[in-house]
């Protein structure tokens, strides 16, 4: 049992409303607001004041912005049928919307099946190749008894593939090319949620210039863009360990200056894919 | 004009269904406020446009996670916009060090009349607060300085900064009850 009055007077609710407290403190405030109606009421009151404060000085954005935003959203998710129709055009009847929804669901299912089959074939090919090459490499290693570092590196890569694909905690996210930038590009992100490890398997991406690197980003639940790691186009068909992330609703890859950027350059976004909700 | 609670919950339901009409309503009701706050924080039209676009994309990606019991929809989208704008000026390639001295006057480096008008409106409201609270609120709420950063710059104990922010917000709540 906490002293609600003291808690409110501590100022933490103001800090919560201003969005400047740590993630743990945020969770604590939310949990206590669920338990104590006085805290919830106070929080709401602060939010209302800040919202009123924010209304001051509203500025109409340039006309181009509205269409630009919809284009970007549709680019993110071209399967969103409802968003394709502007509301001031003729509105479909509810029945038609439902039917469209059904078509959309069927279409999505079919796409998912093809994607799964495609990935399964890709996986099997890679797995078979891995197994064969692993076996070859082992034989060569035995014969030559050579500590060739290049071979060791390859060997490690094949073991890595094997262990990633056979891991039940691995989640596979397909990243498709951004239409305006690189429509034929494609990659898979493999995310092991139990360890937070993230790998990328590139099927098609342009070669990065020497002064630039690709950067993989995760979008967190609250919309923050988190850098997962950097990579160059691999010489071999290998899966690259990128880094770790504990949360993501979407992954995307952008081309940034060598060494990476603190925030992504959206105009240089090449591939993206949503994590299943 | 802000929407009433009932309208807001209908709006959120529409957004979750990816209903274009709801997205048009969202844009119509909130874009100028969000763009205004992005301009206040970044003071640059092109960066504010990026912030506005990213805010709508984040809303699209996360609207199903909005929880009405944790605050209003407007405060939720406002925080997304505000945090995005602060990230741009703190970490982006356009990052700039905000000079404390410059905050006592209307920032005049940008001659865009819209930004000037928005700044003037903001200042008009802040002028209703006394100087001490005005400064603290500007730094913490509009410019995203953390409490320890404000304490260091203003040479005040951290506890004092926190208590001044609390009082400033309460004063603000008298203006906007």
């Amino acid at each position: 049992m906490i002293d609600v009055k003291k808690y409110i007077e501590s100022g933490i609710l103001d800090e919560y409303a201003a969005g400047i407290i740590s993630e743990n403190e945020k969770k604590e405030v939310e949990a206590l607001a669920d338990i104590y109606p006085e805290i919830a009421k106070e929080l709401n009151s602060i939010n209302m004041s800040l919202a009123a404060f924010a209304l001051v000085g509203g500025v109409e954005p340039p006309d181009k912005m509205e269409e630009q935003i919809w284009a970007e959203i549709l680019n993110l998710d071209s399967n969103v049928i409802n968003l394709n129709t502007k509301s001031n055009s003729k509105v479909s009847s509810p029945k038609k919307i439902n039917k469209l929804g059904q078509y959309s669901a069927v279409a999505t299912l079919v796409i998912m099946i093809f994607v799964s089959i495609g990935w399964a074939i890709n996986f099997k090919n890679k797995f078979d190749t891995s197994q064969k090459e692993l076996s070859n490499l082992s034989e060569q290693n035995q014969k030559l008894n050579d500590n060739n570092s290049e071979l060791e590196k390859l060997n490690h890569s094949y073991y890595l593939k094997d262990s990633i694909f056979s891991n039940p905690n691995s989640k596979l996210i397909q990243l498709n090319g951004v239409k305006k930038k690189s429509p034929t590009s494609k990659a898979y992100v493999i995310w092991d949620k139990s360890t937070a490890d993230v790998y990328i398997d590139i099927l098609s991406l342009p070669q990065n210039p020497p002064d630039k690197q690709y950067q993989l980003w995760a979008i967190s639940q609250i919309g923050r863009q988190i850098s997962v790691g950097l990579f160059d186009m691999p010489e071999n068909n290998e899966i690259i360990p990128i880094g770790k992330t504990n949360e993501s609703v979407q992954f995307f890859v952008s081309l940034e200056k060598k060494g990476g950027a603190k925030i992504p350059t959206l105009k240089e976004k090449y591939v993206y894919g949503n994590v299943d909700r | 004009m802000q929407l009433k609670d009932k309208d807001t919950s209908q709006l959120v339901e529409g957004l979750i269904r990816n209903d274009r009409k709801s997205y048009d309503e969202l844009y119509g009701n909130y874009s100028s406020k969000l763009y205004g706050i992005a301009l206040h924080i970044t003071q640059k039209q092109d960066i504010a446009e990026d912030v506005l676009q990213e805010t709508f994309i984040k809303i699209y990606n996360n609207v199903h996670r909005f929880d009405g019991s944790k605050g209003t929809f407007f405060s939720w989208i406002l925080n997304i916009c505000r945090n995005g704008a602060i990230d741009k000026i703190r970490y982006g390639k356009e990052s700039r060090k905000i000079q404390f001295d410059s905050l006592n006057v209307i920032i005049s480096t940008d001659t865009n009349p819209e930004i000037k008008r928005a700044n003037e409106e903001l200042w008009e409201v802040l002028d209703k607060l006394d100087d001490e609270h005005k400064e603290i609120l500007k730094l913490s709420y509009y410019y995203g300085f953390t409490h320890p950063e404000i304490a260091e710059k203003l040479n005040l104990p951290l506890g004092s900064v926190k208590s001044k922010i609390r009082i400033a917000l309460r004063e603000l709540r008298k203006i906007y009850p």
Side-chain angles (χ1 to χ4, degrees):
Chain A
M1 180 92 180
I2 64 154
D3 184 335
V4 173
K5 195 168 171 244
K6 237 181 185 174
Y7 189 75
I8 290 171
E9 283 173 357
S10 75
I12 194 167
L13 300 185
D14 303 313
E15 291 170 20
Y16 174 92
I20 48 177
I21 58 172
S22 71
E23 203 54 37
N24 282 343
E25 287 173 319
K26 195 177 153 199
K27 281 179 187 159
E28 178 195 287
V29 169
E30 289 174 356
L32 290 172
D34 281 342
I35 301 168
Y36 300 102
E38 302 96 311
I39 293 178
K41 194 178 164 196
E42 183 72 7
L43 196 56
N44 193 45
S45 167
I46 296 169
N47 276 329
M48 294 299 281
S49 297
L50 283 176
F53 182 38
L55 293 181
V56 178
V59 180
E60 282 301 322
D63 290 343
K64 62 172 185 182
M65 286 302 298
E66 188 171 9
E67 280 315 311
Q68 202 173 303
I69 287 169
W70 299 133
E72 185 67 21
I73 287 177
L74 289 169
N75 195 20
L76 280 176
D77 192 349
S78 55
N79 290 326
V80 182
I81 291 172
N82 291 350
L83 280 180
N84 276 317
T85 315
K86 196 165 168 36
S87 64
N88 58 8
S89 61
K90 201 176 176 182
V91 179
S92 311
S93 68
K95 272 187 179 175
K96 200 163 183 181
I97 288 171
N98 286 338
K99 217 163 189 180
L100 279 176
Q102 286 167 9
Y103 289 148
S104 171
V106 171
T108 307
L109 191 63
V110 170
I111 290 164
M112 280 172 68
I113 289 167
F114 275 109
V115 167
S116 303
I117 292 169
W119 180 73
I121 291 167
N122 182 38
F123 160 70
K124 192 175 181 312
N125 288 340
K126 281 181 177 171
F127 186 78
D128 288 348
T129 313
S130 300
Q131 290 296 315
K132 277 179 196 164
E133 294 188 38
L134 180 63
S135 153
N136 287 341
L137 282 174
S138 298
E139 280 172 20
Q140 282 174 29
N141 273 346
Q142 275 182 355
K143 281 178 190 169
L144 297 171
N145 195 18
D146 186 1
N147 284 333
N148 184 306
S149 62
E150 204 51 41
L151 280 177
E152 279 182 352
K153 195 178 155 195
L154 275 174
N155 214 349
H156 175 72
S157 167
Y158 294 129
Y159 275 121
L160 188 63
K161 276 186 191 178
D162 193 9
S163 61
I164 293 168
F165 283 127
S166 57
N167 181 351
N169 294 316
S170 289
K171 202 171 175 59
L172 186 80
I173 300 106
Q174 184 177 352
L175 309 188
N176 291 316
V178 173
K179 279 180 192 163
K180 284 181 189 165
K181 189 75 190 172
S182 190
T184 57
S185 288
K186 191 171 270 190
Y188 288 107
V189 159
I190 302 119
W191 182 22
D192 182 347
K193 287 182 118 175
S194 63
T195 61
D197 287 327
V198 179
Y199 306 84
I200 194 159
D201 185 7
I202 297 153
L203 301 189
S204 168
L205 260 182
Q207 181 66 45
N208 55 300
D211 59 333
K212 293 195 170 183
Q213 278 185 298
Y214 284 111
Q215 191 162 4
L216 179 68
W217 302 85
I219 297 182
S220 78
Q221 292 180 354
I222 58 163
R224 287 202 174 271
Q225 294 158 328
I226 306 157
S227 172
V228 184
L230 293 158
F231 63 92
D232 295 300
M233 272 297 285
E235 287 174 13
N236 304 309
N237 182 21
E238 59 183 295
I239 292 175
I240 313 166
I242 300 287
K244 285 179 184 282
T245 186
N246 285 312
E247 58 169 337
S248 180
V249 293
Q250 187 191 91
F251 286 98
F252 68 90
V253 171
S254 63
L255 187 63
E256 306 289 353
K257 64 176 189 290
K258 204 171 179 68
K262 286 180 179 166
I263 57 164
T265 311
L266 291 179
K267 284 175 191 163
E268 290 298 319
K269 192 159 98 177
Y270 276 75
V271 286
Y272 66 93
N274 292 328
V275 179
D276 292 341
R277 288 174 183 173
Chain B
M1 191 178 152
Q2 245 186 296
L3 299 171
K4 290 176 186 167
D5 284 354
K6 194 182 164 193
D7 297 333
T8 305
S9 62
Q10 282 173 355
L11 172 67
V12 172
E13 283 168 20
L15 297 177
I16 292 170
R17 287 197 311 272
N18 286 337
D19 169 35
R20 174 69 192 249
K21 195 178 166 191
S22 300
Y23 274 89
D24 286 342
E25 198 179 329
L26 174 76
Y27 191 88
N29 280 299
Y30 296 110
S31 61
S32 66
K33 286 101 183 178
L34 295 176
Y35 184 60
I37 201 158
L39 268 178
H40 280 307
I41 295 173
T42 65
Q43 298 289 315
K44 293 221 174 196
Q45 197 171 329
D46 55 340
I47 306 176
E49 285 174 15
D50 281 352
V51 172
L52 183 69
Q53 178 161 326
E54 287 165 21
T55 300
F56 274 88
I57 290 168
K58 285 171 188 171
I59 294 170
Y60 169 75
N61 280 326
N62 296 285
V63 67
H64 62 288
R65 298 179 203 281
F66 165 69
D67 181 351
S69 67
K70 306 281 191 309
T72 65
F73 179 67
F74 183 59
S75 64
W76 184 69
I77 61 174
L78 180 66
N79 268 340
I80 292 176
C81 179
R82 184 179 156 276
N83 290 338
I86 289 168
D87 278 356
K88 291 268 188 221
I89 61 168
R90 279 178 165 249
Y91 308 117
K93 59 183 177 187
E94 299 285 348
S95 65
R96 61 188 163 85
K97 188 82 182 163
I98 298 168
Q99 296 298 320
F100 273 68
D101 293 346
S102 72
L103 295 178
N104 290 324
V105 294
I106 295 169
I107 296 171
S108 56
T109 50
D110 203 319
T111 52
N112 184 313
E114 280 290 85
I115 299 177
K116 196 173 170 217
R117 181 185 66 75
N119 276 332
E120 282 168 357
E121 278 186 29
L122 169 66
W123 256 238
E124 201 176 301
V125 170
L126 286 172
D127 274 344
K128 292 176 185 164
L129 300 171
D130 64 47
D131 286 348
E132 196 177 41
H133 298 135
K134 177 166 63 181
E135 203 59 26
I136 292 269
L137 200 59
K138 255 181 342 191
L139 296 175
S140 84
Y141 191 66
Y142 262 103
Y143 296 101
F145 285 94
T146 63
H147 293 180
E149 282 171 338
I150 296 171
E152 192 192 330
K153 295 284 180 187
L154 297 184
N155 204 18
L156 288 170
L158 183 60
S160 174
V161 169
K162 285 182 184 249
S163 108
K164 283 175 194 299
I165 286 178
R166 277 200 306 280
I167 296 166
L169 280 172
R170 276 178 196 163
E171 288 301 309
L172 191 67
R173 286 161 73 185
K174 286 180 191 164
I175 301 170
Y176 298 111

